[in-house]
Amino acid sequence: MARRIDWTGVYSPAVTPFTETGEINEAGFREVLDYLIAEGADGIIVAGCTGEWFSLGDSERARLFAVAREHIDGRAKVIAGTCAIATHQTIGLTQAAKDAGCDGAMIMAPCFIAPRNVEIVQYYADIAKVGLPIMIYSIPEKGHHNLDADLIEDLKAI
């Protein structure tokens, strides 16, 4: 049964600040979250492309999900960027986002490869089994595919 998710409003991606030694700057991250909420964000996207997901290990991403959820504490929705190339890795990150209490996961189909539409549908279907609402997004020049209207109709069924 399809559920309607209310993700209306402005959803802002949060940058992930780092220390000079390359560690996540959690205090700086909290400041970013506060700033975005103060500026009117209804939701915050954590560890998406702007959040340097490709520079982070899975445990670092899971930590950002937990820090964001705890720090935001209901002031805005928290959407976790759980993109990965491998399906099992995306599933694991999506489970970590669910465990942290995030409101959803923003997921791009696997990038740097050229999956067929049937493979994209299966990718999202497998991830949906985690039970966390999914916000689908696309960067055609990086993902080597475009989520056209027919594909979106197929994905809506998930």
Side-chain angles (χ1 to χ4, degrees):
M1 171 187 241
R3 295 177 290 156
R4 179 122 175 101
I5 306 299
D6 182 10
W7 285 342
T8 56
V10 174
Y11 282 68
S12 180
V15 298
T16 303
F18 296 93
T19 66
E20 288 183 20
T21 59
E23 303 294 319
I24 294 172
N25 180 339
E26 286 191 19
F29 182 62
R30 286 181 176 89
E31 288 178 26
V32 168
L33 299 175
D34 288 338
Y35 173 79
L36 294 172
I37 292 168
E39 290 297 315
D42 299 292
I44 308 294
I45 300 165
V46 177
C49 292
T50 302
E52 306 287 338
W53 74 265
F54 43 83
S55 301
L56 300 166
D58 291 357
S59 62
E60 291 174 309
R61 290 169 75 181
R63 177 69 185 148
L64 285 175
F65 304 156
V67 168
R69 186 65 177 154
E70 173 270 322
H71 187 74
I72 290 173
D73 194 28
R75 296 180 291 154
K77 305 263 190 203
V78 178
I79 308 297
T82 63
C83 296
I85 294 173
T87 304
H88 73 277
Q89 185 181 11
T90 304
I91 290 170
L93 287 163
T94 304
Q95 184 64 55
K98 182 179 181 182
D99 293 346
C102 294
D103 297 291
M106 185 177 75
I107 305 171
M108 177 174 58
C111 54
F112 307 114
I113 59 175
R116 296 173 297 141
N117 283 3
V118 67
E119 294 167 323
I120 293 171
V121 170
Q122 187 62 54
Y123 175 77
Y124 282 108
D126 290 345
I127 298 162
K129 292 174 186 171
V130 171
L132 191 65
I134 296 172
M135 179 184 290
I136 298 169
Y137 81 111
S138 176
I139 306 174
E141 63 275 4
K142 299 294 182 203
H144 303 290
H145 53 78
N146 187 23
L147 301 181
D148 60 29
D150 292 336
L151 180 55
I152 293 295
E153 281 300 316
D154 291 340
L155 293 173
K156 280 176 39 179
I158 299 170

